[in-house]
Amino acid sequence: MSGRGYFLKMREWELDSMKAFVRELETHMDEVYALWFFYSFQIPRLGKEFDLLQIREDQIVNVELKSGAVSDEALRKQLIQNRYYLAVQGKTIRSYTYISSQNRLVRLTNHDRIVDADWEQLCADLRDGGKDYEGDVEELFQAELYLISPLTEPERFLNKEYFLTAQQRDIERQILKKIRAERTGAYWFTGLPGTGKTLLLYDLAMKLSVRQRVCMIHCGESGEDWRILHKRLLRIDFLSDRQLSLQAAKQTMTENVCAEEAFDTFLKPYSAILVDEAHLLSVEQLKILEECKKQIPIIFSSDTEDMISPEELDREISQRLASLPDVQSFHMTNRIRTNAELSSFIQNMLDLSRRKGQKGYPNIEVVYANDDTEAVCLMQGYARRGYLYQNPAMRDVNRLVAVLDEQYYYDEDGYLRAGKISEASYEITRITTSEGRKSNVRLLFHQLNQAKEKLAIVIKDNPSVYDTILDIL
């Protein structure tokens, strides 16, 4: 009856609450049997669940079911959060909770207060709103609608127009509990691109900076992205990893940078240090931060990169982070920003031994170019269709096109590798950074993961790689 393609497990108390709710409705309206609800709907990849949703042309009625007594404040918070997720549909939202043990019906007012509701009002709401939506409810609530990145959407972050997923909240709760108890220590969470690590790190920074200053260290090329946040978040100081090295060298005035002295000189004023994209740190930078954890808490966030060949990737930083004494580590698994189909393809393309997790790739296109001229023509064709070409500074694009030229090959272990780029290759195929700390394959991995909806790959003069990727598709 839930309309699912699989059997829905229901707990006894949920069934009892549903029965009590229906009995009460039947005393106030005749055609309860004709009501169309989505029951126990969960937004894919977010873990956000609703007990009952009536979705119509102009209105959504949300009814939460409770068996035992719950405080009005807890009811209020849940209905406000539900309304946030439902509001993306641009319809009027009516929010109710029914507590069966008390036979109590409450609603959320337009002023965000919880008040007792009468059944006639609920029944009137259930009759309004036009025709019922009878399509696939998952198509209405895409996880991408709810992701906000502090770097690309700073205003929404500053206005707190977001909620953390259940996994993010659980990790945050554990970290804050230990920090408040011990005031020191190392904490490290990892995950694939798109699992919400940066949002979690910024939310932690906001909470830790309520009374004291904290320092956020950014690694890589994202310096300009956090300029707006830098201006507005006055209790959070921002450093790039490059500034960390310069500060240490400048302050100690010696080639042998003393980590302890560097900490005492310019990091001591902070109550906590948070590091985004910690996988990009150098060993010298990490040594300074390792010293910090003895005196103040330090939180590292880094990408999972185990689908990249060890020869393409310097794993020393992740190994050092994992071996920090008493480090509390977490692995984030819920992909929010990254389309699950695209993410599966990217991982399978980089490591052929994976080859799992997806039946088809309707949003992936792979085309072949014999030479530079054909490659440029294909790229221009994709540009006319709204695709953007990958570059290191790009974040969160709907359609992305990338080039794999003759430098790429698969090694005997099935990893995608990159040899020396040919001098004849045209400029846009070069994937480099000013510091050269990332291999071409590593950069390719992070840039491909910026695609949100569609991904196109132009393979130039490389038939063996083309055959292999066609086989994945």
Side-chain angles (χ1 to χ4, degrees), residues 48-53 61-66 71-87 93-99 105-109 112-115 117 163:
K48 175 61 193 170
E49 190 172 354
F50 305 89
D51 288 345
L52 291 171
L53 288 179
V61 178
N62 170 218
V63 181
E64 293 299 310
L65 302 174
K66 307 289 181 189
S71 72
D72 281 8
E73 181 58 22
L75 298 175
R76 189 180 82 90
K77 282 184 177 179
Q78 182 184 31
L79 292 179
I80 288 174
Q81 187 181 82
N82 288 7
R83 187 180 61 194
Y84 162 79
Y85 284 102
L86 298 171
I93 312 296
R94 310 290 186 194
S95 306
Y96 292 86
T97 298
Y98 175 63
I99 304 110
L105 182 71
V106 301
R107 66 179 178 88
L108 182 71
T109 70
D112 293 348
R113 291 190 296 118
I114 289 292
V115 298
F163 285 99

Side-chain angles (χ1 to χ4, degrees), residues 148-194:
I148 77 133
S149 166
L151 300 182
T152 57
E153 297 176 275
E155 293 296 339
R156 288 186 65 191
F157 175 78
L158 292 164
N159 293 333
K160 297 186 178 179
E161 295 177 16
Y162 66 93
F163 285 99
L164 300 183
T165 66
Q167 186 182 46
Q168 288 170 320
R169 290 197 305 272
D170 182 56
I171 293 172
E172 182 175 79
R173 186 178 65 251
Q174 292 186 58
I175 291 175
L176 291 176
K177 181 179 178 182
K178 195 167 182 184
I179 285 177
R180 285 160 183 161
E182 300 179 9
R183 304 289 177 185
T184 57
Y187 309 85
W188 178 35
F189 48 86
T190 63
L192 288 168

Side-chain angles (χ1 to χ4, degrees), residues 122-375:
L122 172 60
C123 292
D125 286 342
L126 291 173
R127 293 187 186 100
D128 289 343
K131 293 181 180 179
D132 287 303
Y133 174 77
E134 298 184 19
D136 183 351
V137 66
E138 289 191 5
E139 291 181 3
L140 295 180
F141 299 95
Q142 303 282 334
E144 289 81 4
L145 295 170
Y146 304 99
L147 175 87
I148 77 133
S149 166
L151 300 182
T152 57
E153 297 176 275
E155 293 296 339
R156 288 186 65 191
F157 175 78
L158 292 164
N159 293 333
K160 297 186 178 179
E161 295 177 16
Y162 66 93
F163 285 99
L164 300 183
T165 66
Q167 186 182 46
Q168 288 170 320
R169 290 197 305 272
D170 182 56
I171 293 172
E172 182 175 79
R173 186 178 65 251
Q174 292 186 58
I175 291 175
L176 291 176
K177 181 179 178 182
K178 195 167 182 184
I179 285 177
R180 285 160 183 161
E182 300 179 9
R183 304 289 177 185
T184 57
Y187 309 85
W188 178 35
F189 48 86
T190 63
L192 288 168
T195 47
K197 299 182 299 297
T198 299
L199 179 61
L200 173 57
L201 195 71
Y202 269 87
D203 197 68
L204 279 162
M206 293 279 277
K207 289 181 169 65
L208 290 169
S209 65
V210 171
R211 293 184 179 86
Q212 294 176 293
R213 299 186 75 78
V214 302
C215 178
M216 176 79 80
I217 296 175
H218 282 270
C219 303
E221 306 294 324
S222 59
E224 283 299 304
D225 291 332
W226 42 264
R227 198 163 28 86
I228 296 174
L229 295 173
H230 191 178
K231 289 179 179 178
R232 299 272 293 275
L233 299 175
L234 300 180
R235 289 184 181 272
I236 302 175
D237 287 347
F238 293 85
L239 289 177
S240 68
D241 55 343
R242 200 176 294 111
Q243 286 174 292
L244 185 65
S245 294
L246 291 173
Q247 284 274 18
K250 175 182 168 185
Q251 297 290 348
T252 55
M253 295 298 183
T254 173
E255 290 182 8
N256 301 315
V257 176
C258 172
E260 187 173 347
E261 185 179 342
F263 169 74
D264 287 340
T265 307
F266 65 94
L267 292 175
K268 201 169 185 177
Y270 302 111
S271 61
I273 295 173
L274 302 94
V275 186
D276 195 18
E277 296 191 287
H279 52 281
L280 299 179
L281 288 167
S282 69
V283 173
E284 291 72 26
Q285 292 162 347
L286 185 55
K287 284 179 181 176
I288 295 173
L289 298 172
E290 285 173 2
E291 186 63 34
C292 298
K293 83 173 190 63
K294 300 175 185 177
Q295 322 223 19
I296 57 175
I298 180 162
I299 304 170
F300 298 96
S301 166
S302 68
D303 282 346
T304 298
E305 299 179 303
D306 59 0
M307 66 294 299
I308 300 174
S309 164
E311 283 76 18
E312 296 280 344
L313 186 64
D314 182 358
R315 299 194 190 277
E316 186 173 1
I317 295 302
S318 59
Q319 289 168 353
R320 285 186 73 106
L321 286 170
S323 62
L324 286 173
D326 302 320
V327 64
Q328 189 168 0
S329 58
F330 307 88
H331 183 65
M332 298 175 67
T333 56
N334 297 334
R335 288 179 298 230
I336 308 168
R337 182 189 72 229
T338 307
N339 181 304
E341 173 198 333
L342 271 56
S343 183
S344 171
F345 171 78
I346 293 164
Q347 292 177 70
N348 289 341
M349 185 184 80
L350 266 67
D351 180 1
L352 299 179
S353 67
R354 292 177 177 261
R355 302 303 292 272
K356 60 187 179 185
Q358 193 72 27
K359 293 178 181 177
Y361 298 100
N363 293 298
I364 307 285
E365 294 184 22
V366 178
V367 296
Y368 195 81
N370 290 291
D371 51 37
D372 288 352
T373 303
E374 289 185 4

